[in-house]
Amino acid sequence: MTALTLSTAGAATLRADALVVGVAKSGKTLVVAPGAEAVDKAFDGRLAAVLETLGASGAEGEATKLPAPAGVKAPVVVAVGLGTAPEDGESYGSEVLRRAAGTAARGLTGVKKAAFALPIAAADDAAAIAEGALLGAYAYAAGQGADAKKPLAEVALLGAKPRDKAYKAAAERALAVAEEMNRTRDLVNMPPNELTPATFAAAAQAAGKEHGLKVQVLDEKALAKGGYGGILGVGNGSVNPPRLVRVAYTHPKAERTLALVGKGITYDSGGISLKPAGHNETMKCDMAGAAAVLSTVVAAARIGLEVNVTGWLALAENMPSGSATRPGDVLNMYSGKTVEVLNTDAEGRLVLADALTKASEEHPDAIVDVATLTGAMVLALGDRTFGIMANDDDYRTAIHEIAEEVGEQSWPMPLPADLRKTMDSPTADMANMGVRMGGGLVAGLFLQEFVGEGITWAHLDIAGPAFHEGAPYGYTPKGGTGSSVRTLVKLAERTAAGEL
């Protein structure tokens, strides 16, 4: 785990194994960003010229290493691109700084300590750099051999005023959020033979014990006794039985309660409606929503938010077998509704439905569910943007604005009422499928049926950004990303402040 420290030392005088500075484009000229003045002086004012000679352009995502000159105690300087320099009086955006720090940290594998001398004009800038560096330094440790280089061990943030309360709080929050995003990444990256519903529930119990959370686990017997037909219908085909986990953080001064519901399909084969080859190799990631929910509840506890946050993890493994649900079967849901299963690969909505009903019984002020729910959302928005649906337009807009603020790409999506009738069934109250076109919206309409009356609700479909199959970029690694955690934590903060 990468450590974070704040330092008042100068960029040239701090002892570290590498020193990270920023460079940017100003017209056709490469310029040195604030924070690197002492380093530029050590280069006799020619740092930008040297970097240009090496081919640096200042573009985002670019990192150039060069030996440090006399006068700089770190042996290596890493110049990371910040894109276009801001106008006079303006600062670099938080996401620019976050990605730049992540880019630098990714390239410092095996390094013990790196000092980051990127532009800091306020505590928010320090938080963004800290988040980016800690996220960029991530590696799935369990998947590495003994000879593998370790991630960057320590991030020293320069110019962050360690005695200033605002900077100290920003750094502590950044550490909590980044480490909880990395918790989500670890869970998503775990092989499905290791992360079953039972082991996921055990991980939630361990996190709860560490951070003072109340954790309750319903096993397959309790689920059967309680009538959770959706979760059981999905999990019945697997030798690894399902679980429903409640993870609760409470604050004595809290006046509002936010419920989070996460889809936790620890492996999704599609069930009897089997996925074809080429579509099932990454389906260990189908529990990313539940992982994000767990991490958010833990982050709320670590930060000490004055809001009650309850997480519901709907955990199952979707497998074909003689005991698996068949297309055409009718499930008796926890809500009392009946659902005809037309496609067993539309299983996420079934486990979420039971969890949404259960969460509604506690009458929270709002419920947000998070799920890698539909391929249709990926087709609509691509693999870096999640969709937002809600039964309240203002709430949907607020979540979209929050996601934009914290640097997560999202887009508001509608819930067209005319699509609801396409889920009508002759043998049940409704089917788990409707028309193919607009399938992501149909899934949202299905979930809405299980939200308690009068409760504000939103649905985040993170099917695209939850798992990154391409080359790493910025602070985003290959594999699990931790998508939606930053948005959910900020949502909890706004709820605590009474803004939502």
Side-chain angles (χ1 to χ4, degrees):
M1 190 176 295
T2 304
L4 175 66
T5 58
L6 307 184
S7 176
T8 57
T13 58
L14 181 70
R15 293 189 181 278
D17 300 296
L19 174 63
V20 179
V21 299
V23 291
K25 297 184 289 186
S26 180
K28 295 182 179 181
T29 305
L30 187 69
V31 295
V32 177
E37 293 86 354
V39 181
D40 188 34
K41 183 178 179 181
F43 275 93
D44 295 327
R46 291 182 48 78
L47 175 57
V50 171
L51 288 167
E52 283 185 315
T53 301
L54 295 173
S57 67
E60 289 188 43
E62 179 183 84
T64 307
K65 292 183 180 180
L66 66 165
V72 175
K73 291 193 175 179
V76 176
V77 173
V78 181
V80 64
L82 299 173
T84 302
E87 300 292 332
D88 289 343
E90 296 183 7
S91 60
Y92 290 91
S94 292
E95 184 64 5
V96 170
L97 296 174
R98 193 180 288 114
R99 290 187 180 184
T103 297
R106 279 194 297 107
L108 292 171
T109 302
V111 172
K112 289 184 178 180
K113 181 177 180 178
F116 283 70
L118 295 173
I120 293 180
D124 286 347
D125 295 336
I129 296 167
E131 277 185 14
L134 294 168
L135 293 171
Y138 170 81
Y140 180 55
Q144 296 184 332
D147 296 332
K149 287 185 178 180
K150 302 297 183 184
L152 173 62
E154 181 183 347
V155 170
L157 208 57
L158 307 185
K161 302 179 183 178
R163 291 190 177 88
D164 184 287
K165 288 183 178 180
Y167 278 85
K168 186 177 180 181
E172 290 174 350
R173 181 191 183 280
L175 180 65
V177 171
E179 287 185 347
E180 291 312 314
M181 282 184 68
N182 287 339
R183 181 195 300 275
T184 292
R185 291 169 169 184
D186 277 345
L187 288 167
V188 172
N189 289 332
M190 281 185 71
N193 60 319
E194 296 179 11
L195 187 72
T196 64
T199 55
F200 197 149
Q205 289 174 313
K209 184 177 181 179
E210 181 181 357
H211 297 285
L213 309 174
K214 186 176 181 180
V215 181
Q216 298 168 291
V217 179
L218 297 184
D219 64 13
E220 67 272 25
K221 292 180 180 178
L223 291 170
K225 184 177 180 180
Y228 294 84
I231 296 175
L232 287 168
V234 174
N236 276 344
S238 173
V239 296
N240 297 305
R243 298 285 187 270
L244 178 61
V245 182
R246 179 183 185 270
V247 185
Y249 161 70
T250 57
H251 192 285
K253 295 182 180 180
E255 297 181 355
R256 298 177 66 79
T257 297
L258 175 65
L260 305 175
V261 176
K263 172 187 173 183
I265 305 300
T266 57
Y267 181 74
D268 182 19
S269 70
I272 297 296
S273 306
L274 193 66
K275 294 179 184 289
H279 294 267
N280 55 17
E281 291 82 358
T282 61
M283 281 298 101
K284 65 179 183 180
C285 77
D286 216 17
M287 36 56 65
V293 166
L294 173 61
S295 294
T296 300
V297 179
V298 175
R302 292 179 62 173
I303 299 169
L305 299 182
E306 291 187 14
V307 60
N308 297 328
V309 184
T310 305
W312 297 88
L313 318 180
L315 310 177
E317 187 176 65
N318 187 23
M319 298 291 285
S321 75
S323 60
T325 294
R326 297 159 290 247
D329 283 356
V330 173
L331 303 179
N332 294 296
M333 309 295 284
Y334 179 72
S335 68
K337 287 185 171 69
T338 55
V339 173
E340 181 186 11
V341 178
L342 296 180
N343 188 326
T344 64
D345 196 22
E347 84 299 328
R349 65 200 70 182
L350 298 174
V351 301
L352 287 172
D354 278 355
L356 284 167
T357 303
K358 186 64 176 176
S360 296
E361 290 180 349
E362 298 186 355
H363 305 289
D365 294 285
I367 299 176
V368 179
D369 75 72
V370 192
T372 48
L373 202 62
T374 65
M377 197 57 60
V378 184
L379 290 173
L381 299 177
D383 58 12
R384 295 191 183 185
T385 303
F386 62 77
I388 309 170
M389 286 159 261
N391 61 3
D392 182 299
D393 288 349
D394 290 339
Y395 198 62
R396 181 186 63 188
T397 299
I399 293 175
H400 176 51
E401 291 175 347
I402 286 170
E404 188 174 62
E405 178 185 341
V406 301
E408 295 201 281
Q409 294 175 217
S410 69
W411 197 251
M413 302 294 283
L415 290 170
D418 61 288
L419 293 179
R420 168 59 185 86
K421 65 179 179 292
T422 70
M423 289 185 284
D424 288 347
S425 166
T427 59
D429 293 323
M430 61 190 303
N432 75 328
M433 292 288 289
V435 291
R436 179 170 175 267
M437 300 302 175
L441 313 182
V442 171
L445 287 164
F446 181 92
L447 296 177
Q448 186 176 222
E449 296 277 329
F450 298 89
V451 178
E453 186 175 353
I455 298 176
T456 301
W457 160 78
H459 161 57
L460 310 185
D461 191 336
I462 61 171
F467 194 85
H468 180 56
E469 295 186 65
Y473 65 94
Y475 52 82
T476 301
K478 187 180 180 69
T481 63
S483 175
S484 79
V485 172
R486 292 205 307 273
T487 297
L488 295 174
V489 172
K490 179 61 74 172
L491 177 65
E493 289 176 327
R494 293 282 173 82
T495 302
E499 299 174 12
L500 296 172

